[in-house]
mmCIF file with all atom_site columns, all heavy atoms in Angstrom:
data_model
loop_
_atom_site.group_PDB
_atom_site.id
_atom_site.type_symbol
_atom_site.label_atom_id
_atom_site.label_alt_id
_atom_site.label_comp_id
_atom_site.label_asym_id
_atom_site.label_entity_id
_atom_site.label_seq_id
_atom_site.pdbx_PDB_ins_code
_atom_site.Cartn_x
_atom_site.Cartn_y
_atom_site.Cartn_z
_atom_site.occupancy
_atom_site.B_iso_or_equiv
_atom_site.pdbx_formal_charge
_atom_site.auth_seq_id
_atom_site.auth_comp_id
_atom_site.auth_asym_id
_atom_site.auth_atom_id
_atom_site.pdbx_PDB_model_num
ATOM 1   N N   . ALA A 1 19 ? -1.280  -0.301 -8.567  1.00 83.00 ? 19 ALA A N   1
ATOM 2   C CA  . ALA A 1 19 ? -2.336  0.583  -9.076  1.00 83.00 ? 19 ALA A CA  1
ATOM 3   C C   . ALA A 1 19 ? -1.953  1.101  -10.463 1.00 83.00 ? 19 ALA A C   1
ATOM 4   O O   . ALA A 1 19 ? -0.765  1.225  -10.781 1.00 83.00 ? 19 ALA A O   1
ATOM 5   C CB  . ALA A 1 19 ? -2.545  1.756  -8.125  1.00 83.00 ? 19 ALA A CB  1
ATOM 6   N N   . PRO A 1 20 ? -2.947  1.404  -11.310 1.00 85.00 ? 20 PRO A N   1
ATOM 7   C CA  . PRO A 1 20 ? -2.636  1.893  -12.664 1.00 85.00 ? 20 PRO A CA  1
ATOM 8   C C   . PRO A 1 20 ? -1.994  3.269  -12.634 1.00 85.00 ? 20 PRO A C   1
ATOM 9   O O   . PRO A 1 20 ? -1.948  3.935  -11.599 1.00 85.00 ? 20 PRO A O   1
ATOM 10  C CB  . PRO A 1 20 ? -4.009  1.931  -13.345 1.00 85.00 ? 20 PRO A CB  1
ATOM 11  C CG  . PRO A 1 20 ? -4.988  1.973  -12.244 1.00 85.00 ? 20 PRO A CG  1
ATOM 12  C CD  . PRO A 1 20 ? -4.385  1.245  -11.095 1.00 85.00 ? 20 PRO A CD  1
ATOM 13  N N   . SER A 1 21 ? -1.513  3.702  -13.792 1.00 85.00 ? 21 SER A N   1
ATOM 14  C CA  . SER A 1 21 ? -0.785  4.966  -13.856 1.00 85.00 ? 21 SER A CA  1
ATOM 15  C C   . SER A 1 21 ? -1.696  6.165  -13.641 1.00 85.00 ? 21 SER A C   1
ATOM 16  O O   . SER A 1 21 ? -1.238  7.228  -13.249 1.00 85.00 ? 21 SER A O   1
ATOM 17  C CB  . SER A 1 21 ? -0.066  5.093  -15.193 1.00 85.00 ? 21 SER A CB  1
ATOM 18  O OG  . SER A 1 21 ? -1.002  4.965  -16.235 1.00 85.00 ? 21 SER A OG  1
ATOM 19  N N   . VAL A 1 22 ? -2.978  6.019  -13.937 1.00 88.00 ? 22 VAL A N   1
ATOM 20  C CA  . VAL A 1 22 ? -3.949  7.088  -13.670 1.00 88.00 ? 22 VAL A CA  1
ATOM 21  C C   . VAL A 1 22 ? -4.952  6.557  -12.659 1.00 88.00 ? 22 VAL A C   1
ATOM 22  O O   . VAL A 1 22 ? -5.595  5.532  -12.896 1.00 88.00 ? 22 VAL A O   1
ATOM 23  C CB  . VAL A 1 22 ? -4.671  7.538  -14.957 1.00 88.00 ? 22 VAL A CB  1
ATOM 24  C CG1 . VAL A 1 22 ? -5.663  8.656  -14.638 1.00 88.00 ? 22 VAL A CG1 1
ATOM 25  C CG2 . VAL A 1 22 ? -3.671  8.021  -15.987 1.00 88.00 ? 22 VAL A CG2 1
ATOM 26  N N   . ILE A 1 23 ? -5.059  7.242  -11.526 1.00 89.00 ? 23 ILE A N   1
ATOM 27  C CA  . ILE A 1 23 ? -5.979  6.821  -10.472 1.00 89.00 ? 23 ILE A CA  1
ATOM 28  C C   . ILE A 1 23 ? -7.061  7.884  -10.278 1.00 89.00 ? 23 ILE A C   1
ATOM 29  O O   . ILE A 1 23 ? -6.956  8.983  -10.825 1.00 89.00 ? 23 ILE A O   1
ATOM 30  C CB  . ILE A 1 23 ? -5.233  6.570  -9.142  1.00 89.00 ? 23 ILE A CB  1
ATOM 31  C CG1 . ILE A 1 23 ? -4.450  7.821  -8.745  1.00 89.00 ? 23 ILE A CG1 1
ATOM 32  C CG2 . ILE A 1 23 ? -4.315  5.366  -9.270  1.00 89.00 ? 23 ILE A CG2 1
ATOM 33  C CD1 . ILE A 1 23 ? -3.750  7.705  -7.406  1.00 89.00 ? 23 ILE A CD1 1
ATOM 34  N N   . THR A 1 24 ? -8.077  7.543  -9.521  1.00 90.00 ? 24 THR A N   1
ATOM 35  C CA  . THR A 1 24 ? -9.212  8.446  -9.313  1.00 90.00 ? 24 THR A CA  1
ATOM 36  C C   . THR A 1 24 ? -9.315  8.797  -7.840  1.00 90.00 ? 24 THR A C   1
ATOM 37  O O   . THR A 1 24 ? -9.256  7.905  -6.985  1.00 90.00 ? 24 THR A O   1
ATOM 38  C CB  . THR A 1 24 ? -10.522 7.771  -9.764  1.00 90.00 ? 24 THR A CB  1
ATOM 39  O OG1 . THR A 1 24 ? -10.344 7.227  -11.064 1.00 90.00 ? 24 THR A OG1 1
ATOM 40  C CG2 . THR A 1 24 ? -11.676 8.762  -9.781  1.00 90.00 ? 24 THR A CG2 1
ATOM 41  N N   . CYS A 1 25 ? -9.488  10.079 -7.552  1.00 89.00 ? 25 CYS A N   1
ATOM 42  C CA  . CYS A 1 25 ? -9.695  10.494 -6.163  1.00 89.00 ? 25 CYS A CA  1
ATOM 43  C C   . CYS A 1 25 ? -11.066 9.998  -5.705  1.00 89.00 ? 25 CYS A C   1
ATOM 44  O O   . CYS A 1 25 ? -12.076 10.226 -6.377  1.00 89.00 ? 25 CYS A O   1
ATOM 45  C CB  . CYS A 1 25 ? -9.623  12.010 -6.036  1.00 89.00 ? 25 CYS A CB  1
ATOM 46  S SG  . CYS A 1 25 ? -10.073 12.587 -4.384  1.00 89.00 ? 25 CYS A SG  1
ATOM 47  N N   . PRO A 1 26 ? -11.128 9.307  -4.568  1.00 87.00 ? 26 PRO A N   1
ATOM 48  C CA  . PRO A 1 26 ? -12.424 8.761  -4.119  1.00 87.00 ? 26 PRO A CA  1
ATOM 49  C C   . PRO A 1 26 ? -13.434 9.832  -3.733  1.00 87.00 ? 26 PRO A C   1
ATOM 50  O O   . PRO A 1 26 ? -14.622 9.541  -3.674  1.00 87.00 ? 26 PRO A O   1
ATOM 51  C CB  . PRO A 1 26 ? -12.062 7.933  -2.891  1.00 87.00 ? 26 PRO A CB  1
ATOM 52  C CG  . PRO A 1 26 ? -10.597 7.802  -2.893  1.00 87.00 ? 26 PRO A CG  1
ATOM 53  C CD  . PRO A 1 26 ? -10.043 8.941  -3.663  1.00 87.00 ? 26 PRO A CD  1
ATOM 54  N N   . ARG A 1 27 ? -12.971 11.047 -3.472  1.00 87.00 ? 27 ARG A N   1
ATOM 55  C CA  . ARG A 1 27 ? -13.932 12.062 -3.033  1.00 87.00 ? 27 ARG A CA  1
ATOM 56  C C   . ARG A 1 27 ? -14.354 12.981 -4.180  1.00 87.00 ? 27 ARG A C   1
ATOM 57  O O   . ARG A 1 27 ? -15.536 13.086 -4.488  1.00 87.00 ? 27 ARG A O   1
ATOM 58  C CB  . ARG A 1 27 ? -13.346 12.910 -1.911  1.00 87.00 ? 27 ARG A CB  1
ATOM 59  C CG  . ARG A 1 27 ? -14.344 13.955 -1.414  1.00 87.00 ? 27 ARG A CG  1
ATOM 60  C CD  . ARG A 1 27 ? -13.709 14.972 -0.500  1.00 87.00 ? 27 ARG A CD  1
ATOM 61  N NE  . ARG A 1 27 ? -13.396 14.401 0.799   1.00 87.00 ? 27 ARG A NE  1
ATOM 62  C CZ  . ARG A 1 27 ? -12.533 14.940 1.651   1.00 87.00 ? 27 ARG A CZ  1
ATOM 63  N NH1 . ARG A 1 27 ? -11.882 16.035 1.326   1.00 87.00 ? 27 ARG A NH1 1
ATOM 64  N NH2 . ARG A 1 27 ? -12.313 14.381 2.819   1.00 87.00 ? 27 ARG A NH2 1
ATOM 65  N N   . CYS A 1 28 ? -13.367 13.625 -4.846  1.00 89.00 ? 28 CYS A N   1
ATOM 66  C CA  . CYS A 1 28 ? -13.723 14.604 -5.884  1.00 89.00 ? 28 CYS A CA  1
ATOM 67  C C   . CYS A 1 28 ? -13.716 13.992 -7.274  1.00 89.00 ? 28 CYS A C   1
ATOM 68  O O   . CYS A 1 28 ? -14.044 14.677 -8.240  1.00 89.00 ? 28 CYS A O   1
ATOM 69  C CB  . CYS A 1 28 ? -12.791 15.810 -5.815  1.00 89.00 ? 28 CYS A CB  1
ATOM 70  S SG  . CYS A 1 28 ? -11.091 15.440 -6.285  1.00 89.00 ? 28 CYS A SG  1
ATOM 71  N N   . LEU A 1 29 ? -13.338 12.727 -7.393  1.00 90.00 ? 29 LEU A N   1
ATOM 72  C CA  . LEU A 1 29 ? -13.351 11.971 -8.648  1.00 90.00 ? 29 LEU A CA  1
ATOM 73  C C   . LEU A 1 29 ? -12.390 12.535 -9.687  1.00 90.00 ? 29 LEU A C   1
ATOM 74  O O   . LEU A 1 29 ? -12.532 12.248 -10.887 1.00 90.00 ? 29 LEU A O   1
ATOM 75  C CB  . LEU A 1 29 ? -14.773 11.903 -9.231  1.00 90.00 ? 29 LEU A CB  1
ATOM 76  C CG  . LEU A 1 29 ? -15.838 11.291 -8.325  1.00 90.00 ? 29 LEU A CG  1
ATOM 77  C CD1 . LEU A 1 29 ? -17.215 11.404 -8.981  1.00 90.00 ? 29 LEU A CD1 1
ATOM 78  C CD2 . LEU A 1 29 ? -15.529 9.841  -8.031  1.00 90.00 ? 29 LEU A CD2 1
ATOM 79  N N   . ALA A 1 30 ? -11.422 13.327 -9.262  1.00 89.00 ? 30 ALA A N   1
ATOM 80  C CA  . ALA A 1 30 ? -10.447 13.867 -10.211 1.00 89.00 ? 30 ALA A CA  1
ATOM 81  C C   . ALA A 1 30 ? -9.523  12.756 -10.687 1.00 89.00 ? 30 ALA A C   1
ATOM 82  O O   . ALA A 1 30 ? -9.190  11.840 -9.930  1.00 89.00 ? 30 ALA A O   1
ATOM 83  C CB  . ALA A 1 30 ? -9.639  14.972 -9.543  1.00 89.00 ? 30 ALA A CB  1
ATOM 84  N N   . ALA A 1 31 ? -9.131  12.835 -11.956 1.00 89.00 ? 31 ALA A N   1
ATOM 85  C CA  . ALA A 1 31 ? -8.151  11.883 -12.496 1.00 89.00 ? 31 ALA A CA  1
ATOM 86  C C   . ALA A 1 31 ? -6.756  12.351 -12.095 1.00 89.00 ? 31 ALA A C   1
ATOM 87  O O   . ALA A 1 31 ? -6.401  13.511 -12.293 1.00 89.00 ? 31 ALA A O   1
ATOM 88  C CB  . ALA A 1 31 ? -8.279  11.812 -14.008 1.00 89.00 ? 31 ALA A CB  1
ATOM 89  N N   . LEU A 1 32 ? -5.989  11.462 -11.511 1.00 87.00 ? 32 LEU A N   1
ATOM 90  C CA  . LEU A 1 32 ? -4.684  11.835 -10.963 1.00 87.00 ? 32 LEU A CA  1
ATOM 91  C C   . LEU A 1 32 ? -3.611  10.876 -11.469 1.00 87.00 ? 32 LEU A C   1
ATOM 92  O O   . LEU A 1 32 ? -3.867  9.677  -11.619 1.00 87.00 ? 32 LEU A O   1
ATOM 93  C CB  . LEU A 1 32 ? -4.727  11.785 -9.432  1.00 87.00 ? 32 LEU A CB  1
ATOM 94  C CG  . LEU A 1 32 ? -5.841  12.576 -8.764  1.00 87.00 ? 32 LEU A CG  1
ATOM 95  C CD1 . LEU A 1 32 ? -6.023  12.118 -7.324  1.00 87.00 ? 32 LEU A CD1 1
ATOM 96  C CD2 . LEU A 1 32 ? -5.542  14.058 -8.817  1.00 87.00 ? 32 LEU A CD2 1
ATOM 97  N N   . ASN A 1 33 ? -2.437  11.420 -11.709 1.00 87.00 ? 33 ASN A N   1
ATOM 98  C CA  . ASN A 1 33 ? -1.315  10.559 -12.073 1.00 87.00 ? 33 ASN A CA  1
ATOM 99  C C   . ASN A 1 33 ? -0.794  9.840  -10.837 1.00 87.00 ? 33 ASN A C   1
ATOM 100 O O   . ASN A 1 33 ? -0.597  10.453 -9.790  1.00 87.00 ? 33 ASN A O   1
ATOM 101 C CB  . ASN A 1 33 ? -0.201  11.399 -12.689 1.00 87.00 ? 33 ASN A CB  1
ATOM 102 C CG  . ASN A 1 33 ? -0.561  11.848 -14.085 1.00 87.00 ? 33 ASN A CG  1
ATOM 103 O OD1 . ASN A 1 33 ? -1.057  11.060 -14.873 1.00 87.00 ? 33 ASN A OD1 1
ATOM 104 N ND2 . ASN A 1 33 ? -0.333  13.115 -14.373 1.00 87.00 ? 33 ASN A ND2 1
ATOM 105 N N   . ASN A 1 34 ? -0.555  8.582  -10.992 1.00 87.00 ? 34 ASN A N   1
ATOM 106 C CA  . ASN A 1 34 ? -0.007  7.792  -9.892  1.00 87.00 ? 34 ASN A CA  1
ATOM 107 C C   . ASN A 1 34 ? 1.480   8.099  -9.746  1.00 87.00 ? 34 ASN A C   1
ATOM 108 O O   . ASN A 1 34 ? 2.266   7.818  -10.655 1.00 87.00 ? 34 ASN A O   1
ATOM 109 C CB  . ASN A 1 34 ? -0.235  6.311  -10.197 1.00 87.00 ? 34 ASN A CB  1
ATOM 110 C CG  . ASN A 1 34 ? 0.317   5.400  -9.126  1.00 87.00 ? 34 ASN A CG  1
ATOM 111 O OD1 . ASN A 1 34 ? 0.869   5.854  -8.133  1.00 87.00 ? 34 ASN A OD1 1
ATOM 112 N ND2 . ASN A 1 34 ? 0.167   4.117  -9.341  1.00 87.00 ? 34 ASN A ND2 1
ATOM 113 N N   . PRO A 1 35 ? 1.899   8.692  -8.624  1.00 84.00 ? 35 PRO A N   1
ATOM 114 C CA  . PRO A 1 35 ? 3.313   9.068  -8.484  1.00 84.00 ? 35 PRO A CA  1
ATOM 115 C C   . PRO A 1 35 ? 4.251   7.868  -8.392  1.00 84.00 ? 35 PRO A C   1
ATOM 116 O O   . PRO A 1 35 ? 5.443   8.002  -8.573  1.00 84.00 ? 35 PRO A O   1
ATOM 117 C CB  . PRO A 1 35 ? 3.328   9.877  -7.187  1.00 84.00 ? 35 PRO A CB  1
ATOM 118 C CG  . PRO A 1 35 ? 2.152   9.400  -6.429  1.00 84.00 ? 35 PRO A CG  1
ATOM 119 C CD  . PRO A 1 35 ? 1.117   9.034  -7.433  1.00 84.00 ? 35 PRO A CD  1
ATOM 120 N N   . TYR A 1 36 ? 3.702   6.706  -8.112  1.00 84.00 ? 36 TYR A N   1
ATOM 121 C CA  . TYR A 1 36 ? 4.542   5.512  -7.963  1.00 84.00 ? 36 TYR A CA  1
ATOM 122 C C   . TYR A 1 36 ? 4.535   4.660  -9.229  1.00 84.00 ? 36 TYR A C   1
ATOM 123 O O   . TYR A 1 36 ? 5.140   3.594  -9.241  1.00 84.00 ? 36 TYR A O   1
ATOM 124 C CB  . TYR A 1 36 ? 4.027   4.648  -6.809  1.00 84.00 ? 36 TYR A CB  1
ATOM 125 C CG  . TYR A 1 36 ? 3.873   5.405  -5.512  1.00 84.00 ? 36 TYR A CG  1
ATOM 126 C CD1 . TYR A 1 36 ? 2.613   5.770  -5.063  1.00 84.00 ? 36 TYR A CD1 1
ATOM 127 C CD2 . TYR A 1 36 ? 4.983   5.756  -4.742  1.00 84.00 ? 36 TYR A CD2 1
ATOM 128 C CE1 . TYR A 1 36 ? 2.460   6.470  -3.887  1.00 84.00 ? 36 TYR A CE1 1
ATOM 129 C CE2 . TYR A 1 36 ? 4.829   6.453  -3.557  1.00 84.00 ? 36 TYR A CE2 1
ATOM 130 C CZ  . TYR A 1 36 ? 3.554   6.806  -3.134  1.00 84.00 ? 36 TYR A CZ  1
ATOM 131 O OH  . TYR A 1 36 ? 3.410   7.489  -1.965  1.00 84.00 ? 36 TYR A OH  1
#
Side-chain angles (χ1 to χ4, degrees):
Chain A
S21 56
V22 180
I23 56 176
T24 311
C25 173
R27 181 191 288 161
C28 68
L29 302 175
L32 307 163
N33 287 315
N34 179 1
Y36 307 105

